[in-house]
Amino acid sequence: MGYAQKRLASTAAKLASVAPSTLRAFPPKEAVASSSSKTSFFDAQTWAAVQPPPPTALTAFAHRIGLGKVLPSTEIIQQACTHPSFLALYSRHHPNEPLPATNANLATLGNSLLGLFATEYVNASYPHLPTRVLKAAVSAYVGPTTCTGVAKEMGATPLLRWHRTPNTPLRPAVLHPDALSSVPRALTALVYQYRSLLSARKFVQKFFLSRDVDLRTMIKFRDPKLALAETVAKFGRERPISRLLKETGRFSNSPVFVVGIYSGADKLGEGFGSSLKMAEFRAAEDSLHRLYLTRQPPHLLQLPTSTFANGQGSVFDARGPQVPYIAGEMGDSEILHGSAGRTGARVPGHRSTAADEDLEDI
Amino acid sequence: MKLAPTTKPLLRAQLTSRPANGHVAFIPQIRKLVFEYCDKWPSSANARRYIHDHLEDLARTNPHVEIVVKQRNQREPIIRGFYLNDRDKVIPLNGFEVTGIQQKVQLLLDASGAKIKPLKRRTVESTTEAARGIWSGLHVDQPFKI
């Protein structure tokens, strides 16, 4: 398909469409021009946007994401799929009817829950990750773009009720991705309300934390050799030395050099390249990745929310079996690179020296 | 003179994750199944039998699918499956027995809605590293000599 056809298909998907089988009368009375009524303009697109989605579609959506038994009625699902921007459109076209329930509060609650679960998961899985990379990883796992993608994959696009609002001085614009991203957040909040915090955590792990995020691309340095030297000094180890391990094809048009970086007898990392400098650069990057991306295996993860009992209602009042929680060991904190010495002395961190002192007693 | 920052700036727009449908949770890609049949013509006889006998059980065992039955008079019977990627698949049902119609229904339920691609010519693509690693002639005991 060419670009124009793809663009047309995606625009058509964003437009509201109504199944005539769900309506009492089709075409609607407003659409039929009659001589007695005063001239009124009928916009099919606006009319379709105001109609509620059919209850069969809402139930099918709930079952598709595994919440068929959790969400008790279609009104709740409809509430989760109604963005607050819809109220302006609805009140203009149905001025005498009560306003529909929106997902404003649910989305805010769900957003907080998503942030909580993602942060504890990333922190427990990657204990040595630098702070800004941790924050970026949390955004990648549960941020607005991901929430929009999850909503589209769940099939919430035809069920979403929203209204495009332009930028005003009092509130930001509401575009299609913003409205879509509120749906998975609202669903998380509903799982928390109708089940428990730990069920909400399982829901978030199923749909958000199982997605692919490449953390290696988030950890990049202008000078990895310098960064590695500073990091090794902070951990109180010997200074890193690079050694050529293997080479082939020097002076030919396709040389390959394999360089390893050693701190004393420990090999920190290895890198390959078509020049010595390139191989050394990659070896330094590899060493830093091996440090910052040390991962706790998923079956050994200790998440702080496991200390809450698995029961319905308030998390602080629930009674039930609790899983024991063993806090992870903490190492020295990260180096703030390029901070012009503002972090303080470059001496080894106190946790590294404490470990050495224990050994000296033996 | 201003130096470039020591670490690469992380721009908000590129902080996303890629989907992994099936890794933990599986979202079935079909959202609606429409059965269209004719009341009178004999080509729809098996379709009418299937709708009468098996459709309710199908709807009960597949609660994630909306099932619609429509009239399609003086034409051959078809089933249309609508998927989450906004595509649809249409299968004509004339010439099939009831068991054949069951197989076609299962085909639509299992499909993803993507266009059919020939699999024989394509190379393997993966988002994860190779499970056994990629062979390197420099990392073996006896270096590989051409």
Side-chain angles (χ1 to χ4, degrees), chain A residues 13 56-57 60 63-64 132 136 139-140 145-146 153-155 206-207 210-213 216 218 220-222 246 256 258 270 337-338, chain B residues 3-8 10 13 15-20 23-28 30-31 63-66 84 86 127 129 138-140:
Chain A
T56 46
H63 278 100
R64 199 181 307 133
R132 60 185 173 80
S139 291
T145 23
T146 304
E153 284 153 39
M154 283 177 175
K206 258 170 71 171
F207 287 102
S210 61
R211 292 166 73 90
D212 279 331
V213 172
R216 278 195 321 243
M218 295 185 193
K220 286 245 177 220
F221 299 89
R222 173 163 47 89
K246 295 266 172 65
V256 178
V258 178
E270 190 183 289
H337 298 286
Chain B
L3 280 176
T6 42
T7 48
K8 194 169 148 195
L10 294 158
L15 292 176
T16 100
S17 56
R18 279 197 285 193
H23 284 203
V24 181
F26 177 64
I27 299 177
I30 184 163
R31 60 176 179 87
H64 59 277
V65 187
E66 285 179 78
L84 296 182
D86 303 324
T127 48
E129 299 164 356
L138 294 167
H139 291 90
V140 289

Short mmCIF file of all heavy atoms in Angstrom, two decimals, chain A residues 13 56-57 60 63-64 132 136 139-140 145-146 153-155 206-207 210-213 216 218 220-222 246 256 258 270 337-338, chain B residues 3-8 10 13 15-20 23-28 30-31 63-66 84 86 127 129 138-140:
data_model
loop_
_atom_site.label_atom_id
_atom_site.label_comp_id
_atom_site.label_asym_id
_atom_site.label_seq_id
_atom_site.Cartn_x
_atom_site.Cartn_y
_atom_site.Cartn_z
N ALA A 13 -9.69 5.02 10.42
CA ALA A 13 -9.79 4.28 11.68
C ALA A 13 -10.05 5.23 12.84
O ALA A 13 -10.71 4.86 13.81
CB ALA A 13 -8.52 3.48 11.93
N THR A 56 -22.01 -4.80 23.10
CA THR A 56 -21.31 -6.03 22.72
C THR A 56 -19.83 -5.76 22.52
O THR A 56 -18.97 -6.56 22.90
CB THR A 56 -21.89 -6.60 21.41
OG1 THR A 56 -22.02 -5.53 20.48
CG2 THR A 56 -23.23 -7.26 21.65
N ALA A 57 -19.52 -4.61 21.91
CA ALA A 57 -18.11 -4.27 21.69
C ALA A 57 -17.40 -4.06 23.02
O ALA A 57 -16.23 -4.46 23.18
CB ALA A 57 -18.01 -3.00 20.83
N ALA A 60 -16.83 -7.49 24.62
CA ALA A 60 -15.78 -8.22 23.91
C ALA A 60 -14.41 -7.64 24.26
O ALA A 60 -13.43 -8.38 24.45
CB ALA A 60 -16.02 -8.14 22.41
N HIS A 63 -13.30 -8.91 27.68
CA HIS A 63 -12.85 -10.30 27.64
C HIS A 63 -11.52 -10.43 26.92
O HIS A 63 -10.70 -11.28 27.27
CB HIS A 63 -13.90 -11.19 26.96
CG HIS A 63 -15.00 -11.58 27.89
ND1 HIS A 63 -16.22 -10.97 27.92
CD2 HIS A 63 -15.05 -12.53 28.85
CE1 HIS A 63 -16.99 -11.52 28.84
NE2 HIS A 63 -16.30 -12.47 29.43
N ARG A 64 -11.30 -9.59 25.94
CA ARG A 64 -10.06 -9.68 25.17
C ARG A 64 -8.85 -9.42 26.05
O ARG A 64 -7.80 -10.03 25.88
CB ARG A 64 -10.10 -8.67 24.03
CG ARG A 64 -9.11 -8.96 22.91
CD ARG A 64 -9.19 -7.90 21.83
NE ARG A 64 -10.53 -7.70 21.34
CZ ARG A 64 -11.09 -6.52 21.16
NH1 ARG A 64 -10.45 -5.42 21.44
NH2 ARG A 64 -12.32 -6.45 20.70
N ARG A 132 19.12 8.80 36.02
CA ARG A 132 18.39 9.38 34.88
C ARG A 132 17.96 8.27 33.91
O ARG A 132 16.92 8.36 33.27
CB ARG A 132 19.23 10.44 34.17
CG ARG A 132 20.48 9.90 33.64
CD ARG A 132 21.44 10.89 33.03
NE ARG A 132 22.64 10.11 32.76
CZ ARG A 132 22.77 9.32 31.70
NH1 ARG A 132 21.84 9.28 30.78
NH2 ARG A 132 23.83 8.58 31.54
N ALA A 136 14.22 7.33 32.74
CA ALA A 136 13.89 7.15 31.33
C ALA A 136 13.27 5.78 31.08
O ALA A 136 12.33 5.65 30.28
CB ALA A 136 15.14 7.31 30.48
N SER A 139 9.68 5.84 32.04
CA SER A 139 8.89 6.50 30.99
C SER A 139 8.70 5.57 29.81
O SER A 139 7.63 5.55 29.19
CB SER A 139 9.59 7.77 30.51
OG SER A 139 9.58 8.74 31.49
N ALA A 140 9.75 4.82 29.47
CA ALA A 140 9.64 3.92 28.33
C ALA A 140 8.62 2.81 28.60
O ALA A 140 7.88 2.42 27.71
CB ALA A 140 11.00 3.32 28.00
N THR A 145 3.56 7.46 25.36
CA THR A 145 3.60 6.77 24.06
C THR A 145 3.27 5.30 24.23
O THR A 145 2.55 4.71 23.42
CB THR A 145 4.98 6.89 23.38
OG1 THR A 145 5.96 7.16 24.37
CG2 THR A 145 5.00 7.96 22.33
N THR A 146 3.81 4.70 25.30
CA THR A 146 3.52 3.27 25.52
C THR A 146 2.05 3.07 25.84
O THR A 146 1.45 2.10 25.35
CB THR A 146 4.38 2.73 26.67
OG1 THR A 146 5.73 2.97 26.39
CG2 THR A 146 4.15 1.25 26.87
N GLU A 153 -3.27 -1.54 20.75
CA GLU A 153 -3.16 -3.00 20.61
C GLU A 153 -4.31 -3.71 21.27
O GLU A 153 -4.71 -4.79 20.85
CB GLU A 153 -1.85 -3.49 21.20
CG GLU A 153 -0.66 -3.22 20.30
CD GLU A 153 0.59 -3.08 21.09
OE1 GLU A 153 0.77 -3.85 22.05
OE2 GLU A 153 1.40 -2.19 20.78
N MET A 154 -4.86 -3.14 22.35
CA MET A 154 -6.02 -3.76 23.00
C MET A 154 -7.27 -3.60 22.17
O MET A 154 -8.24 -4.31 22.39
CB MET A 154 -6.27 -3.09 24.35
CG MET A 154 -5.35 -3.50 25.45
SD MET A 154 -5.76 -2.52 26.90
CE MET A 154 -4.68 -3.26 28.09
N GLY A 155 -7.28 -2.64 21.26
CA GLY A 155 -8.47 -2.42 20.44
C GLY A 155 -9.42 -1.41 21.05
O GLY A 155 -10.63 -1.51 20.88
N LYS A 206 1.64 -7.86 33.09
CA LYS A 206 1.20 -8.56 31.88
C LYS A 206 1.28 -7.67 30.65
O LYS A 206 1.71 -8.10 29.60
CB LYS A 206 -0.27 -9.00 32.05
CG LYS A 206 -0.44 -10.46 32.39
CD LYS A 206 -1.85 -10.79 32.78
CE LYS A 206 -2.82 -10.75 31.63
NZ LYS A 206 -4.15 -11.28 31.98
N PHE A 207 0.82 -6.42 30.78
CA PHE A 207 0.64 -5.60 29.58
C PHE A 207 1.72 -4.55 29.38
O PHE A 207 1.91 -4.10 28.26
CB PHE A 207 -0.73 -4.91 29.64
CG PHE A 207 -1.86 -5.85 29.38
CD1 PHE A 207 -2.62 -6.35 30.43
CD2 PHE A 207 -2.14 -6.29 28.10
CE1 PHE A 207 -3.64 -7.25 30.21
CE2 PHE A 207 -3.16 -7.18 27.87
CZ PHE A 207 -3.91 -7.66 28.92
N SER A 210 6.06 -6.46 30.35
CA SER A 210 6.53 -7.54 29.49
C SER A 210 6.99 -7.02 28.14
O SER A 210 7.50 -7.78 27.32
CB SER A 210 5.41 -8.56 29.28
OG SER A 210 4.31 -7.93 28.65
N ARG A 211 6.82 -5.72 27.90
CA ARG A 211 7.19 -5.17 26.59
C ARG A 211 8.69 -4.98 26.50
O ARG A 211 9.40 -4.96 27.50
CB ARG A 211 6.46 -3.84 26.38
CG ARG A 211 4.96 -4.04 26.21
CD ARG A 211 4.23 -2.74 26.33
NE ARG A 211 4.38 -1.88 25.19
CZ ARG A 211 3.58 -1.88 24.13
NH1 ARG A 211 2.58 -2.70 24.08
NH2 ARG A 211 3.80 -1.04 23.14
N ASP A 212 9.18 -4.82 25.24
CA ASP A 212 10.62 -4.72 24.98
C ASP A 212 11.09 -3.30 25.14
O ASP A 212 10.64 -2.42 24.42
CB ASP A 212 10.91 -5.13 23.52
CG ASP A 212 10.96 -6.63 23.37
OD1 ASP A 212 11.32 -7.30 24.35
OD2 ASP A 212 10.65 -7.12 22.29
N VAL A 213 12.05 -3.10 26.07
CA VAL A 213 12.71 -1.80 26.19
C VAL A 213 14.21 -2.07 26.15
O VAL A 213 14.71 -2.86 26.94
CB VAL A 213 12.34 -1.10 27.51
CG1 VAL A 213 13.17 0.15 27.70
CG2 VAL A 213 10.88 -0.73 27.52
N ARG A 216 20.26 -0.56 26.71
CA ARG A 216 21.64 -0.29 26.30
C ARG A 216 21.74 1.02 25.53
O ARG A 216 22.73 1.73 25.66
CB ARG A 216 22.16 -1.44 25.42
CG ARG A 216 22.65 -2.62 26.21
CD ARG A 216 23.46 -3.53 25.36
NE ARG A 216 22.85 -3.63 24.04
CZ ARG A 216 22.37 -4.74 23.52
NH1 ARG A 216 22.42 -5.87 24.21
NH2 ARG A 216 21.85 -4.75 22.33
N MET A 218 20.15 3.62 26.10
CA MET A 218 19.98 4.77 26.99
C MET A 218 21.27 5.09 27.74
O MET A 218 21.38 6.15 28.34
CB MET A 218 18.87 4.48 28.01
CG MET A 218 17.50 4.34 27.38
SD MET A 218 16.26 4.15 28.64
CE MET A 218 14.88 3.65 27.69
N LYS A 220 24.83 5.84 27.14
CA LYS A 220 25.86 6.17 26.14
C LYS A 220 26.70 7.28 26.71
O LYS A 220 26.18 8.21 27.30
CB LYS A 220 25.20 6.64 24.84
CG LYS A 220 24.57 5.51 24.07
CD LYS A 220 25.28 5.31 22.76
CE LYS A 220 24.70 4.14 22.01
NZ LYS A 220 25.67 3.33 21.35
N PHE A 221 28.02 7.20 26.50
CA PHE A 221 28.94 8.20 27.04
C PHE A 221 29.73 8.85 25.92
O PHE A 221 30.02 8.22 24.91
CB PHE A 221 29.92 7.55 28.02
CG PHE A 221 29.24 6.93 29.20
CD1 PHE A 221 28.80 5.61 29.15
CD2 PHE A 221 29.02 7.65 30.35
CE1 PHE A 221 28.17 5.03 30.23
CE2 PHE A 221 28.40 7.08 31.44
CZ PHE A 221 27.97 5.78 31.38
N ARG A 222 30.09 10.13 26.12
CA ARG A 222 30.95 10.80 25.13
C ARG A 222 32.35 10.19 25.18
O ARG A 222 32.98 10.00 24.16
CB ARG A 222 31.00 12.30 25.43
CG ARG A 222 32.00 13.04 24.57
CD ARG A 222 31.77 14.53 24.56
NE ARG A 222 31.56 15.13 25.86
CZ ARG A 222 32.52 15.59 26.67
NH1 ARG A 222 33.76 15.55 26.32
NH2 ARG A 222 32.21 16.12 27.84
N LYS A 246 43.18 -10.33 20.72
CA LYS A 246 43.30 -11.05 19.45
C LYS A 246 43.32 -10.00 18.34
O LYS A 246 42.69 -8.95 18.48
CB LYS A 246 42.10 -11.98 19.23
CG LYS A 246 41.98 -13.13 20.21
CD LYS A 246 42.64 -14.37 19.67
CE LYS A 246 42.72 -15.48 20.71
NZ LYS A 246 41.39 -15.96 21.09
N VAL A 256 40.49 -6.80 12.18
CA VAL A 256 39.62 -7.03 13.34
C VAL A 256 40.52 -7.10 14.55
O VAL A 256 41.46 -7.89 14.58
CB VAL A 256 38.80 -8.33 13.22
CG1 VAL A 256 37.97 -8.54 14.47
CG2 VAL A 256 37.90 -8.30 12.00
N VAL A 258 40.48 -7.36 18.86
CA VAL A 258 39.67 -7.64 20.05
C VAL A 258 40.47 -7.18 21.25
O VAL A 258 41.58 -7.66 21.49
CB VAL A 258 39.34 -9.15 20.18
CG1 VAL A 258 38.55 -9.40 21.45
CG2 VAL A 258 38.54 -9.62 18.98
N GLU A 270 35.06 -6.44 27.09
CA GLU A 270 35.75 -6.77 25.85
C GLU A 270 35.06 -6.07 24.71
O GLU A 270 33.83 -5.93 24.72
CB GLU A 270 35.68 -8.29 25.65
CG GLU A 270 36.54 -8.80 24.54
CD GLU A 270 36.35 -10.30 24.37
OE1 GLU A 270 36.82 -11.04 25.24
OE2 GLU A 270 35.71 -10.70 23.39
N HIS A 337 28.93 11.92 35.96
CA HIS A 337 30.01 12.28 35.04
C HIS A 337 29.89 13.71 34.59
O HIS A 337 28.80 14.24 34.44
CB HIS A 337 29.95 11.36 33.81
CG HIS A 337 30.17 9.93 34.17
ND1 HIS A 337 31.40 9.44 34.51
CD2 HIS A 337 29.29 8.90 34.28
CE1 HIS A 337 31.27 8.15 34.79
NE2 HIS A 337 30.03 7.81 34.66
N GLY A 338 31.03 14.32 34.32
CA GLY A 338 31.05 15.69 33.80
C GLY A 338 30.52 16.69 34.80
O GLY A 338 29.97 17.71 34.43
N LEU B 3 31.60 22.17 25.75
CA LEU B 3 31.77 20.75 25.43
C LEU B 3 30.40 20.10 25.24
O LEU B 3 29.42 20.53 25.84
CB LEU B 3 32.49 20.04 26.57
CG LEU B 3 34.02 20.17 26.65
CD1 LEU B 3 34.52 19.49 27.90
CD2 LEU B 3 34.67 19.57 25.42
N ALA B 4 30.39 19.03 24.47
CA ALA B 4 29.16 18.24 24.37
C ALA B 4 28.91 17.58 25.73
O ALA B 4 29.84 17.32 26.48
CB ALA B 4 29.32 17.17 23.30
N PRO B 5 27.67 17.30 26.06
CA PRO B 5 27.42 16.66 27.36
C PRO B 5 28.07 15.28 27.43
O PRO B 5 28.21 14.60 26.42
CB PRO B 5 25.89 16.56 27.42
CG PRO B 5 25.43 16.75 26.03
CD PRO B 5 26.43 17.58 25.33
N THR B 6 28.45 14.86 28.66
CA THR B 6 29.16 13.58 28.81
C THR B 6 28.27 12.39 28.51
O THR B 6 28.75 11.34 28.13
CB THR B 6 29.69 13.41 30.24
OG1 THR B 6 28.68 13.85 31.13
CG2 THR B 6 30.95 14.19 30.44
N THR B 7 26.97 12.55 28.71
CA THR B 7 26.07 11.43 28.44
C THR B 7 25.06 11.85 27.38
O THR B 7 24.72 13.02 27.28
CB THR B 7 25.33 11.01 29.71
OG1 THR B 7 24.81 12.18 30.32
CG2 THR B 7 26.25 10.31 30.66
N LYS B 8 24.60 10.88 26.63
CA LYS B 8 23.69 11.19 25.53
C LYS B 8 22.35 11.67 26.11
O LYS B 8 21.79 11.02 26.99
CB LYS B 8 23.48 9.92 24.71
CG LYS B 8 22.85 10.13 23.37
CD LYS B 8 22.96 8.83 22.57
CE LYS B 8 21.77 8.68 21.66
NZ LYS B 8 21.62 7.35 21.13
N LEU B 10 18.52 12.02 26.72
CA LEU B 10 17.41 11.09 26.50
C LEU B 10 16.17 11.92 26.20
O LEU B 10 15.59 12.54 27.07
CB LEU B 10 17.19 10.23 27.75
CG LEU B 10 18.35 9.29 28.05
CD1 LEU B 10 18.36 8.87 29.49
CD2 LEU B 10 18.28 8.08 27.15
N ALA B 13 10.42 11.93 23.42
CA ALA B 13 9.60 11.35 22.36
C ALA B 13 10.05 9.94 22.02
O ALA B 13 9.24 9.11 21.61
CB ALA B 13 9.66 12.23 21.12
N LEU B 15 11.16 7.70 24.07
CA LEU B 15 11.06 6.75 25.18
C LEU B 15 9.79 5.94 25.02
O LEU B 15 8.73 6.29 25.52
CB LEU B 15 11.06 7.50 26.52
CG LEU B 15 12.36 8.18 26.86
CD1 LEU B 15 12.20 8.96 28.14
CD2 LEU B 15 13.47 7.19 27.01
N THR B 16 9.90 4.85 24.26
CA THR B 16 8.73 3.97 24.11
C THR B 16 9.20 2.54 24.24
O THR B 16 10.39 2.25 24.28
CB THR B 16 8.04 4.15 22.75
OG1 THR B 16 8.47 3.10 21.91
CG2 THR B 16 8.36 5.43 22.10
N SER B 17 8.25 1.62 24.28
CA SER B 17 8.57 0.20 24.34
C SER B 17 7.92 -0.46 23.14
O SER B 17 6.98 0.08 22.56
CB SER B 17 8.05 -0.41 25.62
OG SER B 17 6.68 -0.20 25.73
N ARG B 18 8.42 -1.64 22.80
CA ARG B 18 7.86 -2.33 21.64
C ARG B 18 6.93 -3.43 22.10
O ARG B 18 7.15 -4.06 23.14
CB ARG B 18 8.99 -2.88 20.79
CG ARG B 18 9.55 -1.79 19.91
CD ARG B 18 10.34 -2.36 18.83
NE ARG B 18 11.61 -2.80 19.42
CZ ARG B 18 12.66 -3.14 18.70
NH1 ARG B 18 12.59 -3.09 17.41
NH2 ARG B 18 13.74 -3.54 19.28
N PRO B 19 5.89 -3.72 21.32
CA PRO B 19 4.92 -4.71 21.80
C PRO B 19 5.51 -6.11 21.80
O PRO B 19 6.42 -6.43 21.04
CB PRO B 19 3.78 -4.61 20.76
CG PRO B 19 4.40 -4.00 19.57
CD PRO B 19 5.50 -3.14 20.04
N ALA B 20 5.00 -6.93 22.71
CA ALA B 20 5.44 -8.32 22.83
C ALA B 20 4.20 -9.17 23.09
O ALA B 20 4.08 -9.79 24.14
CB ALA B 20 6.45 -8.45 23.97
N HIS B 23 4.17 -12.85 24.90
CA HIS B 23 5.28 -13.14 25.83
C HIS B 23 4.74 -13.46 27.21
O HIS B 23 5.17 -14.40 27.86
CB HIS B 23 6.26 -11.97 25.91
CG HIS B 23 7.14 -11.87 24.72
ND1 HIS B 23 8.35 -11.23 24.73
CD2 HIS B 23 6.99 -12.33 23.46
CE1 HIS B 23 8.91 -11.31 23.53
NE2 HIS B 23 8.10 -11.97 22.75
N VAL B 24 3.83 -12.61 27.70
CA VAL B 24 3.17 -12.92 28.98
C VAL B 24 1.67 -13.03 28.74
O VAL B 24 1.07 -14.07 28.93
CB VAL B 24 3.47 -11.84 30.04
CG1 VAL B 24 2.81 -12.18 31.34
CG2 VAL B 24 4.96 -11.72 30.24
N ALA B 25 1.08 -11.93 28.26
CA ALA B 25 -0.36 -11.95 27.98
C ALA B 25 -0.56 -12.01 26.47
O ALA B 25 0.24 -11.48 25.71
CB ALA B 25 -1.02 -10.69 28.52
N PHE B 26 -1.63 -12.66 26.05
CA PHE B 26 -1.95 -12.72 24.62
C PHE B 26 -3.27 -12.01 24.37
O PHE B 26 -4.27 -12.33 25.02
CB PHE B 26 -2.02 -14.16 24.14
CG PHE B 26 -2.42 -14.29 22.70
CD1 PHE B 26 -1.61 -13.77 21.70
CD2 PHE B 26 -3.61 -14.88 22.33
CE1 PHE B 26 -1.97 -13.87 20.37
CE2 PHE B 26 -3.98 -14.98 21.00
CZ PHE B 26 -3.16 -14.47 20.03
N ILE B 27 -3.25 -11.04 23.46
CA ILE B 27 -4.49 -10.36 23.08
C ILE B 27 -4.92 -10.93 21.73
O ILE B 27 -4.23 -10.71 20.73
CB ILE B 27 -4.26 -8.84 22.96
CG1 ILE B 27 -3.81 -8.28 24.30
CG2 ILE B 27 -5.54 -8.15 22.53
CD1 ILE B 27 -3.49 -6.81 24.27
N PRO B 28 -6.03 -11.67 21.67
CA PRO B 28 -6.48 -12.19 20.38
C PRO B 28 -6.81 -11.05 19.43
O PRO B 28 -7.40 -10.06 19.83
CB PRO B 28 -7.75 -12.99 20.72
CG PRO B 28 -7.84 -13.02 22.18
CD PRO B 28 -6.93 -12.01 22.77
N ILE B 30 -8.71 -10.92 16.71
CA ILE B 30 -10.00 -10.79 16.05
C ILE B 30 -10.96 -10.09 16.99
O ILE B 30 -10.95 -10.35 18.20
CB ILE B 30 -10.55 -12.17 15.62
CG1 ILE B 30 -11.87 -11.98 14.85
CG2 ILE B 30 -10.73 -13.10 16.78
CD1 ILE B 30 -12.30 -13.15 14.05
N ARG B 31 -11.78 -9.16 16.43
CA ARG B 31 -12.73 -8.47 17.30
C ARG B 31 -14.18 -8.73 16.91
O ARG B 31 -15.07 -8.64 17.76
CB ARG B 31 -12.45 -6.96 17.33
CG ARG B 31 -12.53 -6.26 16.02
CD ARG B 31 -12.32 -4.75 16.19
NE ARG B 31 -12.37 -4.11 14.89
CZ ARG B 31 -13.47 -3.69 14.30
NH1 ARG B 31 -14.63 -3.80 14.90
NH2 ARG B 31 -13.44 -3.15 13.10
N PRO B 63 -15.76 -15.37 24.18
CA PRO B 63 -16.42 -14.12 24.61
C PRO B 63 -15.71 -12.87 24.13
O PRO B 63 -16.27 -11.78 24.20
CB PRO B 63 -16.40 -14.21 26.14
CG PRO B 63 -15.27 -15.10 26.45
CD PRO B 63 -15.15 -16.07 25.33
N HIS B 64 -14.48 -13.00 23.61
CA HIS B 64 -13.75 -11.80 23.17
C HIS B 64 -14.15 -11.40 21.77
O HIS B 64 -13.65 -10.40 21.26
CB HIS B 64 -12.24 -12.07 23.22
CG HIS B 64 -11.82 -13.22 22.36
ND1 HIS B 64 -11.90 -14.53 22.77
CD2 HIS B 64 -11.34 -13.27 21.11
CE1 HIS B 64 -11.48 -15.32 21.81
NE2 HIS B 64 -11.13 -14.58 20.78
N VAL B 65 -15.02 -12.17 21.09
CA VAL B 65 -15.41 -11.87 19.70
C VAL B 65 -16.87 -11.44 19.69
O VAL B 65 -17.71 -12.10 20.29
CB VAL B 65 -15.26 -13.13 18.82
CG1 VAL B 65 -15.50 -12.78 17.37
CG2 VAL B 65 -13.91 -13.76 19.00
N GLU B 66 -17.14 -10.33 18.97
CA GLU B 66 -18.54 -9.98 18.72
C GLU B 66 -19.02 -10.80 17.54
O GLU B 66 -18.31 -10.88 16.53
CB GLU B 66 -18.63 -8.51 18.29
CG GLU B 66 -18.47 -7.50 19.36
CD GLU B 66 -18.57 -6.12 18.76
OE1 GLU B 66 -19.69 -5.67 18.49
OE2 GLU B 66 -17.52 -5.50 18.54
N LEU B 84 -7.98 -6.20 14.75
CA LEU B 84 -7.56 -4.98 15.45
C LEU B 84 -6.68 -4.09 14.58
O LEU B 84 -6.49 -2.93 14.91
CB LEU B 84 -6.82 -5.34 16.74
CG LEU B 84 -7.62 -6.07 17.79
CD1 LEU B 84 -6.77 -6.31 19.00
CD2 LEU B 84 -8.85 -5.28 18.17
N ASP B 86 -7.48 -3.10 11.72
CA ASP B 86 -8.43 -2.47 10.80
C ASP B 86 -8.54 -3.16 9.45
O ASP B 86 -9.03 -2.57 8.50
CB ASP B 86 -8.09 -0.97 10.56
CG ASP B 86 -8.05 -0.21 11.85
OD1 ASP B 86 -8.87 -0.52 12.74
OD2 ASP B 86 -7.20 0.68 11.98
N THR B 127 13.97 -9.56 17.71
CA THR B 127 14.32 -8.41 18.54
C THR B 127 15.31 -8.80 19.63
O THR B 127 15.90 -7.93 20.25
CB THR B 127 13.06 -7.84 19.21
OG1 THR B 127 12.33 -8.90 19.80
CG2 THR B 127 12.18 -7.13 18.20
N GLU B 129 18.73 -11.21 21.17
CA GLU B 129 19.99 -11.77 20.66
C GLU B 129 19.83 -13.25 20.39
O GLU B 129 18.93 -13.89 20.90
CB GLU B 129 21.09 -11.59 21.72
CG GLU B 129 21.36 -10.16 22.06
CD GLU B 129 22.15 -10.06 23.36
OE1 GLU B 129 22.41 -11.10 23.99
OE2 GLU B 129 22.49 -8.95 23.73
N LEU B 138 37.61 -15.69 16.19
CA LEU B 138 38.68 -15.27 17.10
C LEU B 138 38.46 -15.78 18.51
O LEU B 138 39.34 -15.66 19.35
CB LEU B 138 38.77 -13.74 17.12
CG LEU B 138 39.21 -13.10 15.82
CD1 LEU B 138 38.95 -11.62 15.85
CD2 LEU B 138 40.67 -13.37 15.56
N HIS B 139 37.27 -16.32 18.81
CA HIS B 139 36.95 -16.73 20.18
C HIS B 139 36.84 -18.24 20.31
O HIS B 139 36.07 -18.75 21.09
CB HIS B 139 35.63 -16.08 20.63
CG HIS B 139 35.76 -14.60 20.82
ND1 HIS B 139 35.54 -13.71 19.81
CD2 HIS B 139 36.13 -13.88 21.89
CE1 HIS B 139 35.75 -12.49 20.25
NE2 HIS B 139 36.10 -12.55 21.51
N VAL B 140 37.59 -18.96 19.50
CA VAL B 140 37.64 -20.43 19.63
C VAL B 140 39.06 -20.83 20.03
O VAL B 140 39.99 -20.03 19.92
CB VAL B 140 37.25 -21.13 18.31
CG1 VAL B 140 35.78 -20.97 18.06
CG2 VAL B 140 38.03 -20.56 17.16
#
